[in-house]
Amino acid sequence: MVREILLGSVLGILVFLGLDGIDIWPIVLLLGLGSAVYFTGILNRVGNKSSRKVSVSHVTTTFQDIGGQKVAKSELKEALEFILKPDIITRLGIRPLKGILLTGPPGTGKTLLAKAAAQYTESVFLTSSGSEFVEMYAGVGAQRVRQLFQEARSMARKEKKSSAIIFIDEIEVMAGKRGSNQSHLEYDQTLNQLLVEMDGMQVHDDEVRVLVMAATNRADLLDQALMRPGRFDRLVRVDLPDREARLSILELHTRNKPLDVEANLDAIARETFGFSGAHLESVCNEAAILAMREGAEVITTSLLRQAVDKVMLGERMDRTMRHEDQKRVAVHEGGHALVGELVNPGSVASITIAARGMALGFVRHAPDDDRLLQTVSELKADIQILLGGSTAERLLLGEQSTGAANDFEKAWDIARQMVLSGLSSMGVVQEEALSPEVLYHTIRDIIAEQQSIVDELITLHEHDLWALAAQLLEHETLPGEAVRGFIA
Ligand code: ATP
């Protein structure tokens, strides 16, 4: 803003002097020279702000420190043979691999894999993020890319290494589809420079071999030129861990912690479907913090379960609640848990009426195994569990409350998914050809059908539910086993 006012005033003065008959050209020349010096200074300053770098001596992560990710690890190791066996590569005339792209959800270990790759190949490791190349000044991003590659080579020579790995996190920020960004010229220049540098990478005996590893959660946003053979020609998927992988991640992150000999990590792995490695690391850390808070000597399964709740829902709230509301929450959550156990026996992991984050209470379900596909009856069961809370309130307390709004939304989404997947009475449908009214009524029918089943279940188990709610009011949190004990 100040810069604009200054520029305006200078222009105004120049026009005024010009009209007054004063020769303004020497002043204009001087000002031009001054601004050239000023902007070059800025460019250098911005360009020289060196990218973060970590030399291999600091990278201690090995493939053994990464839980699960068997496929990603073996694909990566295979790709790294290019660095490890240059003689064979040259003898067979194989085109060297220049780039490996790691794609997958956040926190699944992409950075860890890149570090382990550097350790495995004894390469120097430079790390950077796509956003570090994005600047408002044209040319700065491209300059930084050039610098990064130069740095990789010079660091490798200095440390007497024959290879370097450049890791670029969030590559979609700098390598999105060209022409799609607002300040597209700068973005395009940066991406072009990256492509030029990657094209220029050759294997000569005296040269440092540079491998670019990049990570993204949004591979769909990347420019196609980046994915063509000869650039990022290896794509390694780094997915959310399955149950076995979750167990090994939990084991890795409790290695340095005093774990109770009875602690059941397998149960925690079962109850954490959908968690990433980063979530699981956080669970172990939070459990240790809780142990410290409670003055416990060891980390127990119960502390780990509390940590799972905390990671899932946030810190416990110190909210004082009217007894009436507390009772309602206990009945509501009891309804979810009861229906959960009736439709999927053994699936409730824990139930609580302690408020955390936005939730006043919560039932944690642990599916028997990771679910990648869902059948019609599983989807219907999910809707029934969601309706359990409001139904319990209506049948036991006489009326419902606003607490179920979120449940209804989720139930509606599941029913909609059923219709659009061809699982409703209409069979296979095409979304565009479906009138909103028909869609609405079909969803309503599915939900109404589940509602009558839930009404029946809760009526049949009203006494069990009252007993469960009373226990919840007394103990606040109950494990799944306790819930099962109430079901006659
Ligand atoms: P983002 O996409 O957000 O950059 P990322 O996939 O690069 O995430 P990392 O930075 O590698 O994830 O992982 C974050 C942290 O999560 C690690 O420091 C580690 O503690 C833990 N973690 C993630 N995945 C694993 C795993 N497979 N084994 C062990 N720890 C893991």
Side-chain angles (χ1 to χ4, degrees), residues 377-390:
S377 39
E378 283 169 347
L379 289 164
K380 284 184 176 173
D382 284 353
I383 298 178
Q384 289 162 15
I385 297 168
L386 284 163
L387 297 176
S390 57

Side-chain angles (χ1 to χ4, degrees), residues 91-109:
R91 186 166 60 78
L92 294 176
I94 298 174
R95 175 170 52 74
L97 191 75
K98 292 176 183 169
I100 300 177
L101 183 67
L102 307 169
T103 66
T108 42

Side-chain angles (χ1 to χ4, degrees), residues 285-352:
N285 195 46
E286 289 299 338
I289 294 173
L290 287 170
M292 184 175 72
R293 251 188 232 169
E294 294 184 6
E297 291 291 316
V298 287
I299 297 174
T300 57
T301 314
S302 153
L303 286 176
L304 283 162
R305 284 207 167 108
Q306 287 180 50
V308 171
D309 286 346
K310 179 158 180 212
V311 170
M312 234 178 191
L313 301 166
E315 186 59 91
R316 241 185 99 132
M317 307 304 275
D318 220 2
R319 236 180 255 155
T320 36
M321 217 192 272
R322 291 183 305 172
H323 179 72
E324 271 312 294
D325 289 348
Q326 235 170 3
K327 188 170 153 193
R328 185 169 285 280
V329 175
V331 167
H332 182 105
E333 299 306 331
H336 284 310
L338 183 96
V339 178
E341 272 302 315
L342 291 171
V343 298
N344 289 327
S347 67
V348 172
S350 72
I351 175 170
T352 180

Side-chain angles (χ1 to χ4, degrees), residues 19 41 105 119 161 184 186 213 249 285 314 399:
L19 289 176
Q119 218 271 347
K161 308 268 184 197
H184 54 88
E186 162 60 358
M213 289 186 73
I249 296 174
N285 195 46
E399 59 176 347

